[in-house]
Amino acid sequence: MNNKKNKDGLTEKQFLKQYNPGNYKRPSVTTDILIIGMNEDYSGLKLLLIKRGNHPYIDCWALPGGFIEENETAYQAAARELEEETGLTDIYLDQIYTFTKPGRDPRTWVMSIAYLSLVPRLREVKGFDDAEDAAWFDLEFNDSSIELTNEEKGVKIVYSLKKESFLNGAVRYENYIPTLKTEEALAFDHVEILIEAMKKLREQIFYSNQAFCLVDKTFTLPELQAAYEAVLNRPLYKKSFRDMVSEKLVETGTERRSNIKGGRTSKEYTLK
Amino acid sequence: MNNKKNKDGLTEKQFLKQYNPGNYKRPSVTTDILIIGMNEDYSGLKLLLIKRGNHPYIDCWALPGGFIEENETAYQAAARELEEETGLTDIYLDQIYTFTKPGRDPRTWVMSIAYLSLVPRLREVKGFDDAEDAAWFDLEFNDSSIELTNEEKGVKIVYSLKKESFLNGAVRYENYIPTLKTEEALAFDHVEILIEAMKKLREQIFYSNQAFCLVDKTFTLPELQAAYEAVLNRPLYKKSFRDMVSEKLVETGTERRSNIKGGRTSKEYTLK
DNA sequence: ATAATAGTGTCTATCAGACATTATCTG
DNA sequence: CAGATAATGTCTGATAGACACTATTAT
């Protein structure tokens, strides 16, 4: 606190007392959270979606999320949401991007701060207040399409993608433009959030330890490699991969199977 | 639009008509923008700051910024701000991070979406509504301190930095904790925004063309290398640097001096 | 034994780091 | 010419890509 006076002759204390915050129109701000994990046999990624129980986008599948409260950070709101959905705490959770396009929510002016969470293994999803349902969807993301599938519920959501590049100053961006191909769709602009998160994840995976968040605390190298490959959606050479991660690993001493079928057992590791 | 009815028997149209958005408390949302450019002799970076003319943080230097309006995106708000300050349009402008800590603004609940802009060369800064003053500051950012200096105005703002690492799931982050060392300080949490932006810029500079935003449309290789070195705050080997950028360049055919002092003239290039 | 998977060896091309040398300009 | 800067040459060590080979397990 200082005692300088402003043009109206008010100190900071006086100014704050008379300050009227009600002059500007304010947006609602929510967090939307992408909860991503490996599927049962480590052959691909899964995304947690909830089914909306009310307008707008009633009966559509959507990213879990909720309003940020006045006494919490966006991170805390996202962590709360994550725990409500999965029961998990102490999990990788990172801010991706903030979406602000006017009209993205037909109800009112709503901005959304998107978070990405990478969870180790699948868990049962809990019930949820506003949601009719919650379920893991198989996530296939490649250069030409996004496919979200839940066979149990008979739901398939497909967007075709078109790459488009545009300039930001001297920097050229590659962007994916989605076009809906199925009856079912994701609510709001949640496809765009998904695209942005997957782009960022792919850029960072080699320079971070994000892939380690997708496997258990102790893991085998075939499992870890599967996590990298699922994120990148392309195969990696075994030897190069192992050379790359080798200095991040510590052997646990035990061995176990990575695979249900035949073959040798794998050494177990933990992250150094 | 679909005609499904919700639990209360309302269609989407009816629901939206009766929807009352006023139940939640809403934050104000602003954009704060880091405008960064090279200094006169390409020996370092400069940051554009404005001097606050009112409480809170009266007479403190701060990042330019302003409230987002209902009919615009955060990007548009930042671009508007950038043009008001510098007169520049069609400039590199990218969302960095959204700051939401409760209490970061003593007036009321305010979130800030931070943007980074990289501008080619220094320009005169224009006047500004709420600001008493606006000026370019020399920016020195290294592992142990941040220094912002404007010799003309006799202003020096210094923070010492302490590296701290913390875990986010399996991912370890390196964070800088700032401690103020001078009378003068940056307003609000603007040091933290600056730190976040510089961290991101340094991570991305090698995998993007951001450095090209800091030089003119036609540039020499000594100038471009100086831009990389100013961002990274360390020297690069000339040959390796030139090999790295060579495939991004086109010669213009002309030559000119890069330096005020003696020495050979440099070839001019543009970005491919 | 055979199929399947885990793990290692080795060659190559690329590239950043490091340093040396040549080229061109000013005074 | 000397001093300064621009541009290029070359060696080295690290590493990703590519492929081949050995090791271990289930049936």
Side-chain angles (χ1 to χ4, degrees):
Chain A
M1 283 278 170
N2 66 58
N3 291 313
K4 284 181 193 155
K5 290 180 181 174
N6 70 3
K7 289 169 194 160
D8 305 325
L10 298 175
T11 64
E12 178 164 12
K13 210 169 179 178
Q14 291 166 333
F15 170 85
L16 290 174
K17 199 163 184 185
Q18 61 83 52
Y19 179 77
N20 174 12
N23 302 330
Y24 299 92
K25 181 126 196 243
R26 296 170 172 220
S28 293
V29 181
T30 68
T31 58
D32 285 318
I33 169 167
L34 281 125
I35 305 174
I36 288 180
M38 300 296 295
N39 65 9
E40 302 76 8
D41 61 351
Y42 283 93
S43 63
L45 297 176
K46 291 223 174 192
L47 175 66
L48 185 60
L49 295 176
I50 62 164
K51 191 172 183 179
R52 288 185 54 77
N54 199 355
H55 295 301
Y57 297 100
I58 189 169
D59 291 342
C60 273
W61 292 88
L63 299 175
F67 290 101
I68 300 170
E69 288 161 26
E70 195 178 2
N71 56 347
E72 67 181 359
T73 62
Y75 177 89
Q76 286 166 343
R80 183 164 43 78
E81 204 66 39
L82 174 63
E83 189 176 1
E84 280 173 12
E85 284 296 322
T86 65
L88 296 172
T89 57
D90 202 23
I91 288 291
Y92 175 81
L93 187 58
D94 194 33
Q95 196 187 107
I96 296 293
Y97 197 79
T98 299
F99 292 82
T100 62
K101 195 155 65 192
R104 54 179 295 283
D105 188 314
R107 285 170 295 188
T108 175
W109 187 17
V110 181
M111 297 179 179
S112 171
I113 307 178
Y115 278 79
L116 171 65
S117 176
L118 301 173
V119 301
R121 290 269 185 186
L122 293 177
R123 320 260 170 164
E124 284 310 304
V125 283
K126 295 188 176 177
F128 188 54
D129 297 348
D130 321 350
E132 266 187 1
D133 201 357
W136 288 99
F137 280 65
D138 286 299
L139 168 60
E140 159 80 15
F141 183 108
N142 56 50
D143 268 8
S144 60
S145 72
I146 294 178
E147 300 192 22
L148 291 160
T149 317
N150 185 304
E151 293 207 351
E152 231 177 83
K153 298 183 186 292
V155 182
K156 192 165 181 121
I157 301 169
V158 179
Y159 292 84
S160 72
L161 297 177
K162 210 184 124 204
K163 259 195 179 173
E164 230 164 69
S165 84
F166 66 96
L167 274 179
N168 182 4
V171 179
R172 187 168 291 280
Y173 285 118
E174 293 288 332
N175 239 33
Y176 293 100
I177 314 295
T179 312
L180 183 62
K181 290 292 173 184
T182 46
E183 279 284 311
E184 308 248 17
L186 285 178
F188 303 101
D189 55 357
H190 289 184
V191 213
E192 287 160 47
I193 298 179
L194 174 57
I195 292 170
E196 213 52 48
M198 288 302 296
K199 271 171 58 184
K200 203 169 168 186
L201 180 55
R202 284 186 182 172
E203 279 171 16
Q204 296 181 343
I205 189 93
F206 277 119
Y207 313 105
S208 76
N209 288 341
Q210 284 164 310
F212 291 85
C213 303
L214 291 166
V215 295
D216 291 334
K217 220 159 221 161
T218 66
F219 52 86
T220 66
L221 288 180
E223 287 165 359
L224 186 63
Q225 183 169 351
Y228 274 88
E229 291 179 340
V231 167
L232 295 166
N233 201 41
R234 66 181 170 89
L236 297 175
Y237 287 95
K238 199 171 14 172
K239 185 52 169 29
S240 323
F241 169 74
R242 291 162 108 97
D243 287 347
M244 176 188 70
V245 296
S246 63
E247 70 277 1
K248 295 178 181 175
L249 305 176
V250 188
E251 285 189 37
T252 63
T254 52
E255 292 195 358
R256 64 177 172 83
R257 347 207 80 272
S258 285
N259 219 284
I260 303 154
K261 303 169 211 160
R264 188 170 165 177
T265 53
S266 316
K267 289 183 193 167
E268 267 194 345
Y269 295 88
T270 57
L271 177 60
K272 195 184 278 179
Chain B
M1 286 276 169
N2 65 56
N3 291 313
K4 284 180 193 155
K5 291 179 182 173
N6 71 2
K7 288 169 193 160
D8 305 325
L10 297 175
T11 64
E12 179 164 11
K13 210 169 177 177
Q14 291 165 333
F15 170 86
L16 290 175
K17 200 163 183 185
Q18 62 83 52
Y19 179 77
N20 174 12
N23 300 330
Y24 299 92
K25 181 128 198 240
R26 296 171 171 221
S28 293
V29 181
T30 68
T31 59
D32 284 319
I33 170 169
L34 280 125
I35 306 174
I36 288 180
M38 299 295 297
N39 65 7
E40 302 77 8
D41 60 352
Y42 283 93
S43 63
L45 296 177
K46 289 225 175 190
L47 175 66
L48 185 61
L49 295 176
I50 61 164
K51 190 171 183 178
R52 289 186 54 79
N54 198 354
H55 295 301
Y57 297 99
I58 189 168
D59 290 342
C60 274
W61 292 87
L63 300 175
F67 289 101
I68 301 171
E69 286 161 27
E70 194 177 3
N71 57 346
E72 68 182 358
T73 61
Y75 178 88
Q76 286 165 344
R80 183 163 44 77
E81 204 66 38
L82 174 63
E83 188 177 1
E84 279 173 14
E85 284 297 321
T86 66
L88 295 172
T89 57
D90 202 23
I91 287 291
Y92 175 82
L93 187 58
D94 195 33
Q95 197 186 107
I96 296 292
Y97 196 79
T98 299
F99 293 80
T100 61
K101 195 155 65 192
R104 53 179 295 284
D105 189 317
R107 285 169 296 189
T108 174
W109 188 17
V110 181
M111 296 179 182
S112 171
I113 307 177
Y115 278 79
L116 171 65
S117 176
L118 301 173
V119 302
R121 289 269 183 188
L122 292 177
R123 321 258 170 167
E124 284 310 301
V125 285
K126 295 187 176 179
F128 188 55
D129 296 349
D130 319 353
E132 266 186 3
D133 201 355
W136 289 99
F137 280 66
D138 286 299
L139 168 60
E140 160 80 13
F141 183 110
N142 56 50
D143 268 8
S144 60
S145 73
I146 294 178
E147 300 193 20
L148 291 159
T149 317
N150 186 304
E151 294 206 353
E152 229 176 85
K153 299 184 187 288
V155 182
K156 190 163 182 119
I157 301 169
V158 179
Y159 292 85
S160 72
L161 297 177
K162 208 185 126 204
K163 259 195 180 174
E164 228 164 69
S165 85
F166 66 96
L167 274 179
N168 182 4
V171 179
R172 186 169 292 279
Y173 285 117
E174 294 288 332
N175 239 33
Y176 293 100
I177 315 294
T179 311
L180 183 63
K181 291 291 172 186
T182 46
E183 279 284 311
E184 307 249 17
L186 285 178
F188 304 101
D189 54 359
H190 288 185
V191 212
E192 288 161 45
I193 299 180
L194 174 58
I195 291 171
E196 213 52 49
M198 287 303 295
K199 270 171 59 182
K200 203 168 168 185
L201 179 56
R202 285 187 182 171
E203 279 171 16
Q204 296 180 342
I205 189 95
F206 277 119
Y207 314 103
S208 76
N209 288 341
Q210 283 163 311
F212 291 84
C213 303
L214 291 166
V215 296
D216 291 333
K217 220 160 222 160
T218 65
F219 52 86
T220 66
L221 286 181
E223 286 165 358
L224 185 64
Q225 183 169 352
Y228 274 88
E229 291 179 340
V231 167
L232 294 167
N233 201 40
R234 65 180 171 89
L236 297 175
Y237 287 94
K238 196 168 20 171
K239 186 53 167 31
S240 324
F241 170 75
R242 291 161 109 97
D243 288 347
M244 175 189 70
V245 297
S246 63
E247 71 276 0
K248 294 178 180 174
L249 306 176
V250 188
E251 284 188 34
T252 63
T254 51
E255 291 194 359
R256 64 177 171 82
R257 353 206 75 272
S258 286
N259 219 287
I260 302 153
K261 304 170 210 162
R264 190 171 164 177
T265 53
S266 318
K267 289 184 193 168
E268 267 194 344
Y269 295 88
T270 57
L271 177 59
K272 195 184 275 178

